[in-house]
Amino acid sequence: MVRRSPFALGAFVPSFLVAGALGAQQQPAPSPAPAGWVVSGGLDAISFDGGRYLPGGTLHAGYERRLGAGRFGLRVAGDVWQQSDQPDGARYRTRDRIVGASVLGTLSLRPGARVRPYVLGGMGAYHLSQRITGERTVQNGVGVQIPVDVRAAGARFSPALTGGAGIETGLGGRAAVFFEARGVLVPNGGAGSARGPIRGLLLPVTVGVRF
């Protein structure tokens, strides 16, 4: 019977763990799918005409194709933003909805890594609509404040520019999960909204899957 020294066992165990860790690091990272669907959702902050940012929700979905060993990509996607706001002390509420589509180019900064940061940018077209309902107080001809029902709506199409960055990691197979932050500049929504000319900045932050 061969007796093993406890010092030998103590040296064997950490050596085994180190070898296993090195072997795991040497395994190739799963390559991203050359083409697939992109679906994400999250929160958004919307500012009109340089005013305060209003929180809301957003959905983003589209189709993306990877080129150049996964370094470059082209995404065609649609977006929906929606928020509701009631100013302090007001008896009326505004509801803004933006629906649009865009073409985005993506650039992976580490295409072969397990955790892959990327940047993206592009342009699109968006439909902005707003509805105001409720009651507000106005002054009549003799200086008396009277309540008046408010019901107004407006809509307009506008071009938009998008830029942002994200990070993704594989889920096994060709699927991946990602975290993405974008900035969408709406240069001019025209004068057809209830609030007047819409010049907006949208800041969506989403979590989604690519498959």
Side-chain angles (χ1 to χ4, degrees), residues 64-90:
E64 184 173 331
R65 182 164 186 83
R66 299 292 180 85
L67 307 168
R71 178 173 294 276
F72 305 100
L74 184 64
R75 183 191 305 178
V76 179
D79 293 280
V80 177
W81 292 276
Q82 184 165 321
Q83 68 85 26
S84 179
D85 179 52
Q86 183 171 0
D88 295 338

Side-chain angles (χ1 to χ4, degrees), residues 38 40 60 64 66 71 75 104-111 113-121 162-169 176-183 204-208 210:
V38 176
S40 67
H60 177 81
E64 184 173 331
R66 299 292 180 85
R71 178 173 294 276
R75 183 191 305 178
L104 305 172
T106 63
L107 172 64
S108 178
L109 304 180
R110 299 180 61 194
R114 290 187 176 275
V115 178
R116 301 179 290 272
Y118 63 91
V119 294
L120 74 163
T162 299
I167 189 169
E168 69 171 357
T169 185
V177 62
F178 67 91
F179 171 84
E180 189 172 279
R182 289 173 286 132
V205 177
T206 60
V207 176
R210 182 179 286 106

